[in-house]
Amino acid sequence: AQPQPQHAPKAPHEDPKFLESTAARPLRILAEYIDPMTKLKREGIGDTIVMFGSARIDSREDALARLGRLKKAKAGKSAQAKARHKAALRSAKSALEMSRYYEDARALSHKITTWAMSLGPKPRRFVVCSGGGPGIMEAANRGAYEAGGKSIGLSIELPHEQFANPYISPELSFNFHYFFMRKLWFAQIAKALIVFPGGFGTMDELWEMMTLLQTGKLPKDNLILIYGKKYWDEV
């Protein structure tokens, strides 16, 4: 008996199993370069101002609400319950103090965006760009949104915490798997980096940019502003 005709196999670019394989990793890396390049060009983005900082800093409104809830809550009668409530109050008061950085980032982004929009849309200059997540990143995108301008979010796939905040311009919201491709898009078209208080990720980006400047991979007139003297002096 003769074999029956077979359906043709999927072309490689239509085969999810192949695209997710180790062999196709160069294609995935290339996609994380070409896709942002295409969309940034389509939106007329000339250059950016990158704003970085902790994902764990709340807005003043949220910090006040959290502290208010704890003050109203009953601590419980046991020594352990009282200790937990006291620690939670201490943490909430610290969060309220740190929230000033969220509000400062929000206000600064608003001012930058208002000024940048006055320069015209062809190309769009000094567009605020953040890591796309919560905290200071959200504040940066929020300030631009409230000024009526566009802003960029370069999110990263992480196991637990990262998500795209709602203030990013939808057409300029990107999600990366590879940290090094995300870093490339932070650095490649940036004219300045503004670094708010943060942790390992913030410091990683700061040292990356400083190294690129030191080695001549970025123009010497790129600026780095470290914001929050008290915090950074302690660091």
Side-chain angles (χ1 to χ4, degrees), residues 7 24 31 49 52 56 59 70 73 81 112-113 145 147:
H7 290 293
I49 293 180
F52 249 89
R56 296 174 179 83
S59 68
L70 282 167
I112 289 170
T113 303
Y145 174 84

Side-chain angles (χ1 to χ4, degrees), residues 75-90:
K77 295 181 179 179
S78 70
Q80 284 185 332
K82 289 179 180 178
R84 283 196 298 269
H85 187 257
K86 188 176 180 180
L89 275 172
R90 197 162 51 241

Side-chain angles (χ1 to χ4, degrees), residues 43-45 116-117 119-125:
E43 293 300 317
I45 306 300
M117 287 193 300
L119 305 176
K122 295 181 180 181
R124 289 189 169 95
R125 301 295 314 278

Side-chain angles (χ1 to χ4, degrees), residues 41-57:
K41 184 177 180 180
R42 186 169 63 214
E43 293 300 317
I45 306 300
D47 43 44
T48 61
I49 293 180
V50 175
M51 297 180 70
F52 249 89
S54 174
R56 296 174 179 83
I57 294 179

Side-chain angles (χ1 to χ4, degrees), residues 120-131:
K122 295 181 180 181
R124 289 189 169 95
R125 301 295 314 278
F126 309 116
V127 178
V128 168
C129 176
S130 85

